[in-house]
Amino acid sequence: MCESTVYDTKGTKLMDDVIHIKVYGERIEMVDILNQGMTVEGQIVELDLDKHSIFIEVDEN
């Protein structure tokens, strides 16, 4: 499988089993294998495909 876990830059897990990410400027929409969605404001800063990890710098506003 190709799911990833999404974390913020502090290491807090935001979402498990993410299979789709769409970026609209600063808005990042994620969907998991159960079609559950989450939206955050920020920027993707790191993709570790070997460890299936994605890191987002979340805007605190």
Side-chain angles (χ1 to χ4, degrees), residues 32-52:
D32 69 10
I33 58 174
L34 300 175
N35 208 31
Q36 302 274 326
M38 174 187 256
T39 301
V40 297
E41 297 284 330
Q43 304 86 31
I44 295 174
V45 294
E46 182 179 351
L47 300 168
D48 187 336
L49 300 178
D50 185 47
K51 295 180 181 175
H52 303 276

